[in-house]
Amino acid sequence: MHNTLPASNSSHLARGYTLALISAAFLSTTAPFIRHLTQTYEIPPLVLAMWRNFFVLLVLLPALSLLRPALLRVSRPHLLYLLGYGLLLAAFNSLWTTSVALNGAAVSTVLAYCSAAFTALLGWWILKERLDWAKIVAVLLALGGCVLVAEAFKPEIWQSNLLGITTGVLSGLAYAIYSLMGRSASQRGLNPWTTLLYTFGFASVFLLMFNLLPGRPLPGTASTPLELFWLKDSLIGWGILFLLAAGPTIGGFGFYNVSLSYLPSSVVNLVATLEPAFTALIAYIFLDERLSGVQILGSLMILSGVVFLRIYEGWLAKRGSNARNQY
């Protein structure tokens, strides 16, 4: 949909940051939805993740068929790339949904954003993205904020919930790789909505396979094929699950993918670290999850890192524009 423009273009930057912020606002509602479903209906996390991905496909496929049918066509090399991307998304969805079930909405969201450091380092190494002092400062603020919000400085947190913390950090690594592949998809000329359709479609198939593996080697899967329909005749439960897919998931991942057409993956991921602050507020209002003063401080650290990076990137863009005007 959008071609990659020079990073020095200020309007280009503003559009990318706006899209990333909209994405963070959408994504911040996913953890409370998941937390409600796992607590109220006790649905296994990977069963939930499978249906979430399938409902995204169910909404996007007819929508694109009617509005932009050309976006449904991809070449064979791109199809193989999207297949691998879908497998990665299935792994991320599995880790993320399990983390929410183990850690709660607020803490799991924060742990996922240790991906900021992973994305900055991997983006610099693999995609040759810029890694300067300002981005390192923003990453350190984001990581410090994550530690405070998750209260990872307390030994008892690691002793009592090691599986939850580990799952959350791994979800962050998977999210970082997802960001890099999204940026790579943009550079390959793939439309962000085409990418979203195929990755979620393939991910739903992989998650179905995860749930049907004999012997249940993965936690949080269906113990029998019948348990794939865990919600049974609960229209409210199915409705909430459909809303999770049709609203926060499509909006969040869709705008995230589009923002990767404008900004480096490391910058988009850093902007998205605002999601924990949004999620913490939603969890406080609707799920009665309380944040301590230290956790609020951590949220403010994450916010300050994003604001600082935006100001710095804007200054770089202005300086580059002034330098070009002199010649």
Side-chain angles (χ1 to χ4, degrees):
M1 185 180 298
H2 301 288
N3 294 325
T4 303
L5 299 175
S8 60
N9 189 305
S10 59
S11 64
H12 182 70
L13 276 175
R15 192 175 295 114
Y17 271 90
T18 300
L19 290 168
L21 284 169
I22 294 173
S23 168
F26 269 109
L27 289 173
S28 66
T29 63
T30 60
F33 267 103
I34 292 171
R35 185 66 166 171
H36 175 75
L37 286 166
T38 54
Q39 285 189 326
T40 304
Y41 300 96
E42 298 181 341
I43 182 171
L46 267 67
V47 174
L48 189 161
M50 181 201 73
W51 284 109
R52 178 190 179 194
N53 282 261
F54 174 73
F55 283 146
V56 168
L57 177 66
L58 195 64
V59 172
L60 274 181
L61 185 58
L64 292 181
S65 298
L66 289 172
L67 300 174
R68 298 285 298 278
L71 297 183
L72 300 179
R73 296 189 292 272
V74 296
S75 64
R76 180 169 296 181
H78 284 163
L79 193 64
L80 293 174
Y81 178 83
L82 291 169
L83 179 68
Y85 199 176
L87 177 59
L88 172 67
L89 179 62
F92 168 56
N93 283 168
S94 301
L95 290 164
W96 160 245
T97 308
T98 303
S99 176
V100 173
L102 293 172
N103 299 310
V107 172
S108 61
T109 304
V110 170
L111 285 172
Y113 281 100
C114 64
S115 62
F118 292 134
T119 306
L121 292 173
L122 291 174
W124 167 72
W125 180 39
I126 298 173
L127 298 181
K128 309 305 179 186
E129 295 179 352
R130 194 182 76 251
L131 182 62
D132 56 17
W133 68 272
K135 194 175 290 185
I136 292 172
V137 168
V139 166
L140 291 176
L141 284 169
L143 287 178
C146 288
V147 169
L148 293 182
V149 178
E151 297 186 321
F153 54 87
K154 295 181 178 179
E156 59 268 25
I157 294 293
W158 293 91
Q159 294 167 3
S160 63
N161 193 26
L162 180 60
L163 178 61
I165 298 293
T166 303
T167 303
V169 173
L170 287 175
S171 74
L173 177 59
Y175 196 11
I177 301 173
Y178 177 89
S179 300
L180 293 174
M181 292 194 70
R183 180 66 171 172
S184 175
S186 173
Q187 293 172 344
R188 288 168 179 257
L190 283 164
N191 182 278
W193 298 103
T194 301
T195 300
L196 192 70
L197 172 71
Y198 278 90
T199 52
F200 272 83
F202 285 133
S204 64
V205 174
F206 283 120
L207 284 163
L208 175 62
M209 294 167 58
F210 293 169
N211 277 285
L212 295 179
L213 287 174
R216 298 189 68 192
L218 299 175
T221 56
S223 58
T224 65
L226 191 61
E227 284 192 356
L228 291 173
F229 300 91
W230 184 275
L231 295 174
K232 299 178 182 177
D233 59 352
S234 175
L235 294 180
I236 295 177
W238 285 111
I240 293 172
L241 185 49
F242 182 81
L243 286 176
L244 166 64
T249 303
I250 291 178
F253 281 92
F255 283 110
Y256 191 92
N257 283 0
V258 175
S259 69
L260 287 168
S261 302
Y262 293 97
L263 297 171
S265 56
S266 53
V267 173
V268 173
N269 196 267
L270 279 167
V271 174
T273 56
L274 286 173
E275 182 189 336
F278 295 151
T279 300
L281 180 61
I282 295 170
Y284 174 82
I285 296 172
F286 295 104
L287 300 178
D288 200 34
E289 291 185 12
R290 296 293 186 263
L291 291 184
S292 65
V294 170
Q295 290 174 314
I296 292 173
L297 175 61
S299 297
L300 292 175
M301 286 177 63
I302 295 170
L303 176 61
S304 64
V306 173
V307 171
F308 167 74
L309 185 65
R310 175 65 186 96
I311 293 172
Y312 177 76
E313 293 280 353
W315 175 79
L316 281 183
K318 185 176 180 180
R319 189 181 69 171
S321 177
N322 291 337
R324 285 194 302 274
N325 290 336
Q326 290 177 358
Y327 293 97

